[in-house]
Amino acid sequence: MAFIKLFRKKLEENYAYLNTIFESRNIEWGVVTKLLCGNKIYLKEIIALGVREMHDSRISNLKKIKALDPTIQTVYIKPPAKRSIESIVRYADVSFNTEIDTIKMLSKEAQNQNKIHKIIIMIEMGDLREGVMGEELVDFYGSILSLPNIEIRGIGTNLNCLSGIMPTQDKLIQLSLYKQLIEAKFNIKISWVSGGTSVAIPLILKNARPMAVNHFRIGEALFFGKDLFTGETIKDMHNDVFKLYSEIIEITEKPDAPTGELGESGVGNTYVMEDNTDLGVTSLRAILDIGLLDMQPQYIEAEDTDITIVDASSDMLVIDISHSKKDYKIGDLVSFKIQYMGALYLLNSDYIEKTIG
């Protein structure tokens, strides 16, 4: 047995902390829910916080959000695929866009559905993922300005998502200048300048954000309280909103080194026997009822700091409990802190029970 638990009180406190930061600075923000993989139990918890804007990269998840609360503003946070246009207009109030032809298709479908579809034009600012090149932005904007049933909600950028480029003050000033350029050229008002994700929070806390940047999309900071500049936990936030629990199904004293002819394991690894390996050394090993189908060991950390993760196969995780001060028994649960990518694997697994604490 293995399950992941969301701790409601810690989530509420993280949300309250972030909401105070944003409201005090007149910043709009939405919660990025892609980590939750469309789990309705957890989506309800987000809505219960009072969230009125939710972002996701899967249209099926936005559909679930609309079914839970049709008044939530839903935002599709990647350029739409041609074959998903109908669903995006139906379930996403806003979408991020970088292609003129795609926006024209959204316009046509919005007319068919008798809707106004809002768009954010994403600008390439160095991270080399999605985005219109800056020198092409004015022509791009002008070509879609009059499309029927399309409202250009604003401009935005993604940083630290592919190449690791950080959202420095200079980057956000550059984004603000694009806003000024567009407004002056077309004599319009841009509502949103969406400056990025959780990675920008340290700049906000230092009041180093240009005032024109007035919108953010927050996921990792809400669920993990993480300062993505330093890797540390943000003061007054929780880094353990989620925890993993897995049951011990075997405890045995075993050699540290395998014996027999070495070949490739079932998951494609080959054990390397060091020249100084002591074949007589043993350790007390426990096997947990979870494996690579559900998680990646590098993204979890046992709360019992005397436990060492040895390795995993598709359905089992081996840990060394030799040095633990706890007297573990068969059936005991071992708890783990989880990193963002670890939670993503676990929440995407149908084999992991999702609970609330």
Side-chain angles (χ1 to χ4, degrees), residues 7-76:
F7 290 87
R8 178 181 290 146
K9 188 172 188 300
K10 292 180 178 181
L11 176 67
E12 290 172 347
E13 290 175 356
N14 277 5
Y15 176 78
Y17 177 85
L18 290 170
N19 200 47
T20 298
I21 289 171
F22 290 126
E23 283 192 347
S24 66
R25 293 164 173 80
N26 295 315
I27 297 172
E28 294 185 56
W29 70 295
V31 172
V32 178
T33 58
K34 62 182 179 181
L35 174 75
L36 305 180
C37 299
N39 183 275
K40 288 186 178 180
I41 295 173
Y42 291 163
L43 288 174
K44 287 178 181 178
E45 292 297 313
I46 300 301
I47 293 171
L49 295 171
V51 173
R52 304 311 304 158
E53 179 181 309
M54 296 168 74
H55 299 227
D56 212 296
S57 57
R58 306 291 180 187
I59 196 65
S60 58
N61 296 343
L62 295 181
K63 180 179 179 180
K64 291 177 182 178
I65 292 167
K66 281 296 189 185
L68 291 170
D69 186 344
T71 68
I72 296 284
Q73 178 165 252
T74 50
V75 184
Y76 186 72

Side-chain angles (χ1 to χ4, degrees), residues 21 36 106 118 187 220 266:
I21 289 171
L36 305 180
L106 289 168
K118 303 170 188 175
N187 193 28
E220 188 165 359

Side-chain angles (χ1 to χ4, degrees), residues 230-292:
T230 66
E232 302 296 320
T233 302
I234 297 170
K235 187 177 181 294
D236 298 323
M237 295 195 76
H238 301 285
N239 64 7
D240 55 352
V241 168
F242 288 106
K243 286 185 186 178
L244 168 67
Y245 298 84
S246 187
E247 184 177 334
I248 296 175
I249 57 177
E250 177 187 298
I251 300 176
T252 308
E253 186 85 21
K254 293 188 178 183
D256 280 0
T259 56
E261 185 176 342
L262 288 171
E264 191 176 273
S265 72
V267 296
N269 297 329
T270 302
Y271 183 88
V272 178
M273 188 80 73
E274 302 291 343
D275 292 338
N276 61 350
T277 299
D278 187 344
L279 299 179
V281 175
T282 64
S283 57
L284 188 62
R285 294 188 172 202
I287 296 178
L288 303 183
D289 190 20
I290 191 171
L292 296 175

Side-chain angles (χ1 to χ4, degrees), residues 99-325:
E99 291 288 342
I100 292 171
D101 288 344
T102 301
I103 299 170
K104 288 179 178 178
M105 286 187 283
L106 289 168
S107 171
K108 184 175 180 181
E109 181 59 36
Q111 291 176 77
N112 292 339
Q113 295 187 29
N114 194 28
K115 289 184 173 182
I116 301 297
H117 184 74
K118 303 170 188 175
I119 66 169
I120 301 294
I121 299 173
M122 300 302 286
I123 305 170
E124 171 58 56
M125 296 187 64
D127 201 51
L128 301 181
R129 206 176 70 171
E130 83 279 17
V132 178
M133 298 303 293
E135 61 268 24
E136 300 171 1
L137 180 60
V138 170
D139 289 342
F140 186 101
Y141 203 101
S143 66
I144 61 172
L145 189 56
S146 300
L147 287 176
N149 294 68
I150 292 292
E151 176 188 330
I152 305 176
R153 181 70 174 168
I155 59 174
T157 193
N158 259 320
L159 295 166
N160 195 239
C161 290
L162 183 67
S163 302
I165 300 300
M166 303 302 281
T168 60
Q169 187 179 39
D170 286 345
K171 288 287 185 184
L172 296 187
I173 289 173
Q174 184 181 350
L175 185 62
S176 302
L177 293 175
Y178 284 130
K179 172 186 185 290
Q180 294 177 23
L181 175 64
I182 293 295
E183 289 182 336
K185 174 69 176 179
F186 297 103
N187 193 28
I188 58 169
K189 178 69 176 175
I190 291 179
S191 299
W192 277 1
V193 179
S194 194
T197 58
S198 295
V199 71
I201 286 179
L203 286 179
I204 297 170
L205 290 172
K206 294 175 184 176
N207 293 315
R209 162 200 64 107
M211 296 296 288
V213 181
N214 62 356
H215 181 267
F216 290 88
R217 300 98 59 187
I218 305 299
E220 188 165 359
L222 174 63
F223 298 116
F224 297 93
K226 191 171 183 179
D227 181 329
L228 295 175
F229 272 82
T230 66
E232 302 296 320
T233 302
I234 297 170
K235 187 177 181 294
D236 298 323
M237 295 195 76
H238 301 285
N239 64 7
D240 55 352
V241 168
F242 288 106
K243 286 185 186 178
L244 168 67
Y245 298 84
S246 187
E247 184 177 334
I248 296 175
I249 57 177
E250 177 187 298
I251 300 176
T252 308
E253 186 85 21
K254 293 188 178 183
D256 280 0
T259 56
E261 185 176 342
L262 288 171
E264 191 176 273
S265 72
V267 296
N269 297 329
T270 302
Y271 183 88
V272 178
M273 188 80 73
E274 302 291 343
D275 292 338
N276 61 350
T277 299
D278 187 344
L279 299 179
V281 175
T282 64
S283 57
L284 188 62
R285 294 188 172 202
I287 296 178
L288 303 183
D289 190 20
I290 191 171
L292 296 175
L293 279 172
D294 313 302
M295 59 87 215
Q296 295 293 311
Q298 66 267 35
Y299 299 127
I300 64 174
E301 177 186 355
E303 288 201 292
D304 180 347
T305 57
D306 294 321
I307 285 177
T308 302
I309 294 176
V310 178
D311 208 345
S313 62
S314 58
D315 294 297
M316 288 178 271
L317 178 68
V318 179
I319 60 174
D320 183 343
I321 59 174
S322 302
H323 304 291
S324 176
K325 299 174 184 65

